[in-house]
Amino acid sequence: GESVGLHLPTLSVQEGDNSIINCAYSNSASDYFIWYKQESGKGPQFIIDIRSNMDKRQGQRVTVLLNKTVKHLSLQIAATQPGDSAVYFCAENVNNAGNMLTFGGGTRLMVKP
Amino acid sequence: GAVVSQHPSRVICKSGTSVKIECRSLDFQATTMFWYRQFPKKSLMLMATSNEGSKATYEQGVEKDKFLINHASLTLSTLTVTSAHPEDSSFYICSARQSRGPKTDTQYFGPGTRLTVL
């Protein structure tokens, strides 16, 4: 069936380096994508989103890239900090499917001091 | 903005009892709220979609009589786990979508409720 998945379950980076978390999706009808950050014992926190009519969107220290040709989504975190350590989920939304989100499996980001 | 709260944050109960979890959108109205369940080191699993003033829509495999959902107002949805058993122990998370505004398809999540059934 349609699914959203992630290539790497765990990513370890040095503090100050840039991080890139990848996500593959298979539903070509998806038109809205969101990245969430989840710290241990907490609910997911909205980070950044992008619609399918865009291929790049920037926030504060974060950038999301969307490649619809290969159905690939990435989250780039600049100058990664210890506070960025968490599990990151990508989620896709299909507008004509009740606006429900389908979540990927998650990537754990570990920032080494 | 777009703050969602849950209560309680943690609950421990005996097997056979019922537990109610509240989900509130604090600074916006939410026609639609969602209830998820999350197992350790796993992704979120959608249990049901809660619509204000109507019956919830349950995902396949989720027992509607076991997990009662009530969405009585535009800012409150409740999930009641009836006759809880140890296998119902999990992290329950709700989310809400704004009824109006530019981000009506973005889901904002609550902090979650850790349920432990003894």
Side-chain angles (χ1 to χ4, degrees), chain A residues 31-32 34 36 38 41-46 49 51 57 89 93 95 98-101 103-106 108, chain B residues 32 34 36 38 41-44 46 49 59 91 93 97 102-112 114:
Chain A
D31 55 6
Y32 179 54
I34 309 173
Y36 289 95
Q38 186 177 27
K42 298 182 179 180
Q45 175 189 357
F46 173 92
D49 59 358
R51 299 197 182 274
R57 189 153 189 252
F89 293 98
N93 175 89
N95 191 40
N99 280 332
M100 291 194 298
L101 291 179
F103 283 84
R108 178 172 298 280
Chain B
T32 305
F34 302 87
Y36 294 83
Q38 187 177 34
K41 301 186 190 299
K42 298 293 184 182
S43 188
L44 285 77
L46 179 65
T49 302
E59 294 300 297
F91 193 50
I93 312 173
R97 278 206 326 248
K103 284 189 176 294
T104 56
D105 47 4
T106 303
Q107 290 184 28
Y108 297 95
F109 285 83
R114 173 73 58 193

Side-chain angles (χ1 to χ4, degrees), chain A residues 30-90:
Chain A
S30 294
D31 55 6
Y32 179 54
F33 305 86
I34 309 173
W35 279 101
Y36 289 95
K37 171 186 179 183
Q38 186 177 27
E39 296 175 86
S40 181
K42 298 182 179 180
Q45 175 189 357
F46 173 92
I47 300 175
I48 192 169
D49 59 358
I50 189 168
R51 299 197 182 274
S52 58
N53 60 351
M54 303 173 68
D55 53 23
K56 180 179 180 180
R57 189 153 189 252
Q58 288 185 288
Q60 189 176 14
R61 280 201 308 119
V62 295
T63 301
V64 55
L65 298 178
L66 175 63
N67 186 329
K68 294 181 288 294
T69 303
V70 295
K71 298 188 182 68
H72 185 266
L73 191 71
S74 69
L75 175 70
Q76 300 179 2
I77 305 174
T80 313
Q81 302 168 0
D84 295 326
S85 296
V87 176
Y88 290 80
F89 293 98
C90 65

Side-chain angles (χ1 to χ4, degrees), chain B residues 37 39 85-92 114-118:
Chain B
R37 184 173 179 176
F39 292 102
H85 291 284
E87 57 266 29
D88 298 324
S89 299
S90 192
F91 193 50
Y92 292 89
R114 173 73 58 193
L115 171 63
T116 302
V117 184
L118 303 177

